[in-house]
Amino acid sequence: MAPPKQGRDRYLDLLRAVALVRVVCFHLFGWAWLTVLFPSMGVMFALAGSLMARSLARPAWSVIRGRLRRLLPPMWAFSLLVVPVMFALSWKPVREEGLWWFVKIGCYILPVGSPPYPEESGSTGGWLEVSWADQAVGPLWYVRAYLWFVLASPLLLKAFRRLPWVTLLAPIALTAVIGTGLVTVPGMFGEGLIDFAVFGSCWVLGFAHNDGLLKEVPRYLAVSSAAMVMGFGLWWASGHLTEEGWNLDEIPLAQATWSLGFCAILLLYAPSWQKLPGRLAGWDSLVTLANNRAVTIYLWHNILLMAAAQLIDQSWNIPWFGDAFGPYIEKSYNGLILVLIWPLLGVAILAFGWVEDVAAKRRPRLWPNGSTRGRARV
């Protein structure tokens, strides 16, 4: 096993920041090809797996407890706002589900499964469109998947260090069974199991990166193998295209294989940066901020995309402004949202980001971008 690394790896921090930006862009524009260009979720799980393996040099229970403590309070802050709004807009328990419905509501506290939400809420043309709950709560699947991986990591890491290649490839085999419809696992558990299988190899790949296993494989062999796995993923996707085209998020086996090969190449060529080099250094403060507030950005970005759209829609109601600039606003609608989302995310970081510090038992910081000014306390 490789010796423990010291300090933050800025290359991994850069990848995480790029992954977050790609997620925001995909949820705004809906361009299916972005899932091929940069499989953000696979990258984020691979990076998290590497950090988890590094942390498990300490007692497993203390690591799990620390991860849950950092993950859950930001989600509780999110749920504390979103869930009451859903009830205020006439969401009610489903009589047919009985007590089980209230058990599922508990997933807003401990996300072992997918939390429920109304399929339709709000109103057409109102401040909250009818699909707002689906868009707001949808990203919580990542929190559930992350929780599953954290809980399973002590056993997964032991299995990996005994049978590395079997453990690495087993989730792909599981995806081939349950992610293709060959075997169907119904309900909330089935949804979680599919995500666990699809991104399991990326998580375990993070173990391999932390332990230095990737460096033991001849690079030509590793790269060619990764390329073949990626090629299989594209081939499979080509025969299972959805209405959105090459959206790998909707094609589990393609997502699993493409993400595994893509992340393997990223980690095979991973430098070890204590500082961002060259021109990348100019992005250092934003990369630092994104990593210190990754959970906040991920949880709130969909709601803020909807808020940005509403703000732009209201510009048509401004006297003379809507008549004069309406055609230009319409043509550049998504571009304007893309411009507006970043200051709105900044507001969310100021308003809710400090919860991540409290959860990590740090003094709350308003703008943790690594600068002296960014260390201001609240």
Side-chain angles (χ1 to χ4, degrees), residues 8-9 12-13 15-17 19 39-56 63 67 71 142-143 145-154 156-157 199-210 263 267 291 294-295:
R8 294 196 65 91
D9 187 326
L12 301 187
D13 287 348
L15 290 180
R16 186 178 292 105
S40 284
M41 305 319 297
V43 170
M44 291 172 70
F45 281 119
L47 301 181
S50 180
L51 293 175
M52 189 69 183
R54 175 180 172 178
S55 297
L56 282 172
V63 175
R67 285 290 189 275
L71 176 70
Y142 172 79
V143 180
Y146 183 89
L147 176 64
W148 280 40
F149 283 125
V150 166
L151 296 176
S153 280
L156 278 176
L157 187 58
F199 297 105
S201 290
C202 291
W203 187 273
V204 176
L205 184 70
F207 294 171
H209 172 257
N210 178 78
C263 293
L267 295 179
N291 278 267
V295 178

Side-chain angles (χ1 to χ4, degrees), residues 237-251:
S238 69
H240 299 81
L241 297 180
T242 67
E243 293 181 358
E244 299 172 343
W246 291 81
N247 183 359
L248 301 189
D249 290 348
E250 304 298 329
I251 314 171

